[in-house]
Amino acid sequence: MAVHEGVHGIGESIKRVEDARFIRGKGTYVDDIVLPGMLHMFLLRSPVAHARLVSINADAALALPGVVAVVTGKDLEAHNLAWMPTLSGDTQAVLATDKVRFQGQEVAAVIAESPYVAQDALELIEVEYDPLPVLVDPARSLEAGAPVIRDDKEDQSSNHVYHWESGDKDATERAFAQADVVVNLRTHYPRSHPAPMETCGIVADVNPATGKATLYMTSQAPHAHRTLFAIVAGLPEQNIRIKTPDIGGGFGNKVPIYPGYVVATAASLLIGRPVKWVESRQENLISTGFARDYHMQGELALNRDGKMLGLRVKLLSDQGAFYADAQPSKFRAGLFHIVTGSYDLPAAHVVADGAYTNKAPGGVAYRCSFRVTEASYLIERLVQTAAYELGIDPADLRLKNFIQPEQFPYRSATGFEYDSGDYPAAMNLALEKVSYRDLRREQEEMRAQGRLIGIGLASFTEVVGAGHGKDYDIAGIKMFDSAELRVHPTGKAILKIGVQTQGQGHETTFAQIVASELGIPSEDVLVQYGDTDNVPYGLGTYASRSTPTAGAATSVISRKLRAKAKKIAAHLLETSEEDIEWETGRFFVRGAPDRAVTIQDTAFAAYTNMPDGMEAGLEGVHYYDPPNMTFPFGTYAVVVEIDRGTGEWKVLRMVAVDDCGVRINPMIVEGQIHGGLTEGFATAAMQQIAFDEDGNCLGANFTDYLIPTAWETPDFETFATVTPSPHHPIGAKGVGESATVGSPAAYVNAVIDALAHAGVRNIDMPVTSAKVWEALSQAGLAE
Amino acid sequence: MEITVTVNGAQQTADVEPRTLLVHFIRETLRLTGTHVGCDTTSCGACTVLLDGTPIKSCTMLAVQANGRSVTTVEGLVTNGSLHPLQEGFKEEHGLQCGFCTPGMMLVSAALLEDNPDPTESDVRWAISGNMCRCTGYQNIVKAVLWAAEKGRTESADASQAS
Amino acid sequence: MFPSAFEYSAPDSLDQALAVLAERGDEAKVLAGGQSLIPLLKLRFAAPAMLVDVNRVPGLNGVAEEGDLIAVGALERHNGLARSDLLKTTLPLMTSAAPLVADPLVRNLGTIGGSLAHADPAGDWGSVMLALEAQFVLQSARGERVVGASDFFVDTFTTVLEPTEIVTKVRIPRPRGSSGGTYLKLERKVGDFATVGTAVQLELDNGTIRRAGIGLTAVGSRNIKATEAEASLVGAEPTEAAFAEAADLASRAAEPSSDLRGSAEYKRGVVRTFVRRGLAQSLAAARGDD
């Protein structure tokens, strides 16, 4: 067989395989699935934030034609299903039994023949609540005498959830004692929500004859969910099959297990028919895993010449009513302790406490890399503040303190070992592309004309690829990931991976890895995922882990198959293995390049002409335990102008330099960055889930929780540097969350930079036009 | 109430409750699931279809209002087995990631290009400002539409040369 | 997401529509564009027993001159108004406002009549009509009455419209001499309701201001006509100082609430800024007329 020219492997911006169905409207999302006899489930939710659940009367609902069942917490209690474990070792109510603890909490479920009837039935259920005092401020939650929200837990006598520390307290104190200057920043990273365009849902199909449960679910981690379902619901794990259809965006929203999934499955089991539950947008925003809500106090100790000596952080996390962060179990505050960022900080100490409030549970979501968004925001805002306090240019202050390339691998003051990085290169490229020094001059000139321009920088280092089994597990399951590769006789291949795309293009990019490693053109490699009966166990896709873990597994298994293929090639070429050389797609005899066989030839032979004693086939599975995390990084530069009459700010330029190591498909990498820069813009400019004193959620729909449109969203200029990860088989690091991690501070720094000359140092996000106007007015800069 | 709607060129007759939303008629009665539901406040545009060629949010119209009228959904973009230039453009320019907003984006853009075959970037951003996307940041969507516009202009230039 | 059940009527004449309303008006809602009503039905904030769909009623469309007036059919869609050449030349305040209502998709269905009848204080058209001193033609089975914009809006979502009536037409006095008008809207994103909106109309007579109209959006329990600000400009020279004073008066006529969009003080500040800018832009346009 002839060698294929061009395998379209790593580094090529090939067009996406998955597009074929989406552009035709032929994607299959959960709500598109219709099964014979399928019923529709709607959830009744609490209108109040904290109350005793006195009584539920569903008689009128049950009497409505078309209503098949109403399920309450009491019903679930009989099956030990009223409560379920969370991914953070807490428990969460599936359907309320004693109390409701946040507005929107699940109270009852109606199962009916049609969604219109189910909605009608919901209105007929009568629930009596006995209101209790509401806590919406985590600081107030921790005050002595505050009502205990989690009185369901025996050992819980307050609203304190956890205490966690990282770093060296003494060394940090010494550093602060020596410092010339201590810069302070107190900031609240507001509660927001990942809000993917598709909400969460499930079609639960428990076959009454076989007991097999097929769950079509919006799940970013199908295997982990299967195991948890088996444990929680007591269903035999081999009888649970989770199939993720196409997922319309995840961003961490589809990592937790939600009550709706559990109730739908229980309902299908009890009724013997498939049950569909697809939540509304309001339900999505009011009850599913929110993001952020960290109250942070940061202090940076420096010398007068700008050298950083130490960092101290105290943070209070608003956990909502149940501690349900989707994060590796050993970390109470995720990977927040990456907070020393890109800087050579010899000493750091982080103290974190979590508190319960009467709000929805969650916290780790929205492309945060397990709280790296919060950490990166804090350090980049602190560094910017320090620049103003010291009178040093913000770019120069960063350059002065960067970890230098020769310092890698770099052990941080909080115990991370950064794999590789070249922070000055990324910064200098960003400064060049945005014409930074010229801009500084223009800024001054324009200020003289009464125009307010600001330049904001952020040089982030983030940490992804969870992770090494010793340190990283989700609910006890180590965070390896997997790839199973099988090459067919005709030289085509099928790759099955344990990660779960929600738009990241795995069907294309993972085939590219196989193409580069094995020389099989990527279009000949079918990628499968999301069916727990058929793909190897994996921990799913979130926290930018797919490329670092399953991507590595794919590379490793490809190389294993190549090693076997080499033996077959030697057999076919009638020479010894030591004489065989490889170039992409073919094996040849050293010194006689025309004596060659293609990878396809060896595949065919694996079934038809094996060497004596060799097992048939060309396939294998690898479970990859990453030796370390990977550390993507970059520098973002944002230029804004502020309207002095209204406080509105407009992004004039957004320059993004990202380094995610080797880039498998630059087009797809760029797409990920565009998306993250937009979500970062949204976070900085307009997003928050706010609550009033009574715990009413003020961000439970898209008219209050704002998603920017194409009109507000700026144009992005993206650039790359490439610093491969030394420990990853193909040197790739992962990139899905770099932009949400790094950009909010860049936008905010730009706005502050426009006002810093008048003494303004901080505006908390969302940096609304109203807040800017207040700052302008106070600084005497308003029109 | 019995209604007859021409959907993607074919007449569809069905008996619906007056309260049935057009999007549910399309998705559930006609089983055309390329039109999506993304919100409950008429905010997101994932449900966009063309009503007599005009882009509207099908979640905010009753099916009975479409009686006697024509609707184009994403499934109607392919003509004679060929992809619409917009469908090609979205693939060429990586204008989609999860695909959920894509049908709406393509349909509103199709209407734009009918009206204005040579839009600026600003025209495109304005035209799609009723459609939300979380994945792409819009930049490649704009490029996709401009790609399709260029292709459309080239094709009609060729066609008029040929005639 | 799923409305309650209702009866549905789609009359194909105005008489029929009015007859249905005469009989069932108390429990019926009129369906025009549906872009305000249907969202309410979906969230079950409204559950009328009957919907009267007036989209098939002829004669409710059109933008035309009627002597000294410009007549706009109540069923005109926002996008249609945005593209009207007649409005562009005679009432540019309207073509300035139309593209800013909601978003491009909603503008294809939403109607000016429906928007005015809905009377959301954050609705844009109400302020425009107040600034233009428009008149609304209300019809019922019993006949017709004409109500001036200033008398039409009573309170939040409340107008003088009876359940048996519909708005059929909006009549706007055609500006005399050179004129200009501008709608400015501060919104957090396209499709958001206004944080603040200002409708400004200026008509000049030999260089001095003959008439000024100022309507304010989203800064009160209903759209506000800044009458003191308007009065301060009548007969005055269109100077920066006059505009600044009018802007100040307008900001004091506003009664905004503090909320997540901003404090009351902020919103007054934006009113001041927008009215000043609106007046300057309208003046430039009016002078361009000469």
Side-chain angles (χ1 to χ4, degrees), chain A residues 263-478:
Chain A
V263 181
T265 305
S268 179
L269 176 65
L270 293 170
I271 298 172
R273 289 167 66 177
V275 173
K276 172 185 275 189
W277 170 70
V278 175
E279 57 170 5
S280 70
R281 178 59 61 186
Q282 182 175 70
E283 296 181 271
N284 176 253
L285 290 173
I286 207 174
S287 75
T288 64
F290 73 87
R292 318 284 190 275
D293 217 345
Y294 259 22
H295 300 262
M296 307 184 282
Q297 167 110 40
E299 295 173 288
L300 188 59
L302 311 98
N303 277 341
R304 208 169 312 280
D305 66 354
K307 194 84 191 96
M308 294 179 194
L309 302 179
L311 173 67
R312 243 189 334 231
V313 180
K314 191 162 153 52
L315 77 90
L316 176 58
S317 167
D318 185 331
Q319 297 294 153
F322 309 106
Y323 181 32
D325 281 2
Q327 68 195 346
S329 73
K330 293 184 171 65
F331 303 97
R332 308 279 80 190
L335 302 182
F336 183 86
H337 52 302
I338 192 69
V339 67
T340 55
S342 309
Y343 309 104
D344 190 9
L345 264 161
H349 187 227
V350 175
V351 174
D353 287 279
Y356 287 121
T357 58
N358 290 115
K359 302 175 187 170
V364 169
Y366 202 3
R367 265 170 140 162
C368 73
S369 292
F370 303 133
R371 301 287 188 183
V372 179
T373 38
E374 292 85 321
S376 188
Y377 183 76
L378 180 66
I379 184 66
E380 287 308 299
R381 289 283 303 116
L382 258 175
V383 170
Q384 193 83 2
T385 309
Y388 300 130
E389 295 298 298
L390 289 171
I392 299 177
D393 178 276
D396 294 331
L397 182 60
R398 288 177 169 87
L399 283 162
K400 189 184 180 72
N401 285 283
F402 277 155
I403 302 163
Q404 294 301 313
E406 56 272 15
Q407 289 178 276
F408 288 88
Y410 173 84
R411 187 153 194 87
S412 83
T414 55
F416 283 108
E417 188 175 283
Y418 292 23
D419 60 356
S420 67
D422 189 347
Y423 305 146
M427 165 67 91
N428 287 323
L429 183 57
L431 296 180
E432 179 205 315
K433 293 298 183 184
V434 85
S435 306
Y436 183 78
R437 307 292 174 187
D438 290 338
L439 262 181
R440 280 288 175 212
R441 276 193 298 277
E442 280 174 44
Q443 181 186 34
E444 262 190 66
E445 288 162 15
M446 290 173 116
R447 198 178 293 147
Q449 296 165 19
R451 289 175 66 182
L452 296 176
I453 308 286
I455 312 160
L457 295 173
S459 292
F460 67 95
T461 291
E462 80 134 333
V463 52
V464 302
H468 186 55
K470 184 164 75 64
D471 300 314
Y472 295 92
D473 67 88
I474 295 268
I477 308 168
K478 307 275 186 203

Side-chain angles (χ1 to χ4, degrees), chain A residues 581-633:
Chain A
E581 299 266 352
W582 161 261
E583 63 181 11
T584 306
R586 64 183 223 137
F587 297 98
F588 61 94
V589 177
R590 188 180 305 111
D594 289 338
R595 280 184 59 202
V597 291
T598 65
I599 184 69
Q600 289 81 6
D601 293 333
T602 62
F604 192 69
Y607 296 87
T608 62
N609 182 7
M610 302 79 94
D612 263 344
M614 177 185 273
E615 194 180 359
L618 189 56
E619 65 184 70
V621 61
H622 186 74
Y623 295 88
Y624 184 78
D625 183 24
N628 190 9
M629 304 292 273
T630 61
F631 296 80
F633 62 94

Side-chain angles (χ1 to χ4, degrees), chain C residues 136-150:
Chain C
F136 305 153
V137 178
L138 314 182
Q139 285 190 271
S140 74
R142 283 204 298 231
E144 179 185 292
R145 61 181 179 131
V146 178
V147 178
S150 312

